[in-house]
Amino acid sequence: MTSIKGHAVDAGHHAGMTVMAELLIKEVRIPPLKLPGTLRLPAGARVLVVFAHGSGSSRLSPRNIAVAEALAQQGMATLLFDLLTPEEESDRANVFDIALLAKRVVDAVRWLEANDLTRTLRFGLFGASTGAAAALVAAAKLGPRVKAVVSRGGRPDLAGDALEQVMAPTLLIVGGADDVVLVLNRRALARLKGEKALEIVPGATHLFPEKGALEAVIGHAARWFRHHVVEDKQ
């Protein structure tokens, strides 16, 4: 992997690229539809986490950006990208088409595997809301190429039978006050066959707006990816 280092906090902008201290931020287009994305590549990264956002959100989701920036500070590369074109987003049915969203995640991972900047990295998936189901279906399709999955306030139940095909260690993070989603996550957890865990953030609701709630999500996710992707030598 190519490392680009800078000494200033923000060393400049050019050609859709921002170079920050020890961090390369690059605007990319994911084929075949040229879906826009933001790739964060810390120097020396060994893991790349691909994000699948939830319904009504995009690569500009402030919560996912906060998680991505925190992971980058801990040396993990991230990709946030739009799973749908603007035309597709106009049809609300597409926002809940898990098979379609999962295909876009698979396309993104395959593109990253062929990209000179990222092909040597190990991949994790991070899904939020309905994006969690897309991430799990994609993990089932990609098999051992995905080393870990994390769901934030997700709907893993929407992954259906794919849950039983997921090989990657999977962490489900749910707010303690997100009652219905917590029940659905417990049911999905029971169907997962591989290594799995459920972390409940006390008092948090669905979007984790409470003080310290998103920070707790970041802590749980970072530890999971670090243990299962960075430290796992297999």
Side-chain angles (χ1 to χ4, degrees):
M1 177 183 145
T2 301
S3 297
I4 298 180
K5 298 183 179 182
H7 297 289
V9 172
D10 186 345
H13 303 262
H14 53 90
M17 183 183 299
T18 302
V19 181
M20 303 180 74
E22 304 292 330
L23 176 66
L24 169 65
I25 302 175
K26 183 175 176 60
E27 300 303 313
V28 298
R29 293 279 178 170
I30 311 298
L33 297 178
K34 299 188 182 301
L35 297 169
T38 303
L39 187 63
R40 289 176 172 82
L41 287 168
R46 295 170 56 194
V47 54
L48 196 162
V49 178
V50 178
F51 282 68
H53 56 75
S55 58
S57 189
S58 73
R59 73 188 190 284
L60 303 178
S61 159
R63 287 169 294 277
N64 280 350
I65 288 174
V67 176
E69 289 178 342
L71 293 179
Q73 289 172 3
Q74 298 190 41
M76 302 183 204
T78 61
L79 172 69
L80 290 116
F81 74 106
D82 288 349
L83 276 67
L84 299 171
T85 67
E87 293 75 20
E88 289 171 334
E89 287 179 347
S90 65
D91 182 351
R92 287 292 292 174
N94 288 327
V95 174
F96 299 96
D97 187 336
I98 302 303
L100 174 62
L101 301 179
K103 182 181 184 302
R104 299 294 162 79
V105 176
V106 171
D107 288 344
V109 171
R110 288 177 174 162
W111 175 77
L112 290 164
E113 288 179 319
N115 188 294
D116 286 343
L117 283 174
T118 54
R119 57 188 173 87
T120 63
L121 302 181
R122 295 157 62 87
F123 297 101
L125 302 179
F126 183 100
S129 190
T130 52
L136 286 162
V137 173
K141 291 181 179 297
L142 290 164
R145 285 181 285 179
V146 173
K147 305 302 181 184
V149 180
V150 173
S151 162
R152 171 184 65 80
R155 288 291 309 276
D157 56 296
L158 296 178
D161 291 342
L163 285 169
E164 295 163 9
Q165 302 166 25
V166 175
M167 300 169 58
T170 299
L171 173 65
L172 308 179
I173 308 173
V174 187
D178 196 4
D179 299 335
V180 174
V181 172
L182 181 54
V183 170
L184 295 172
N185 272 255
R186 290 189 190 279
R187 292 175 183 169
L189 185 76
R191 297 186 65 183
L192 289 166
K193 301 300 184 185
E195 186 173 350
K196 58 191 177 181
L198 172 65
E199 289 284 358
I200 300 172
V201 179
T205 52
H206 188 59
L207 297 178
F208 300 89
E210 294 78 15
K211 184 177 180 180
L214 192 58
E215 289 77 8
V217 169
I218 291 167
H220 291 312
R223 282 189 292 273
W224 194 260
F225 286 127
R226 190 162 49 244
H227 178 66
H228 292 286
V229 189
V230 178
E231 297 172 359
D232 184 2
K233 305 301 182 186
Q234 297 181 356

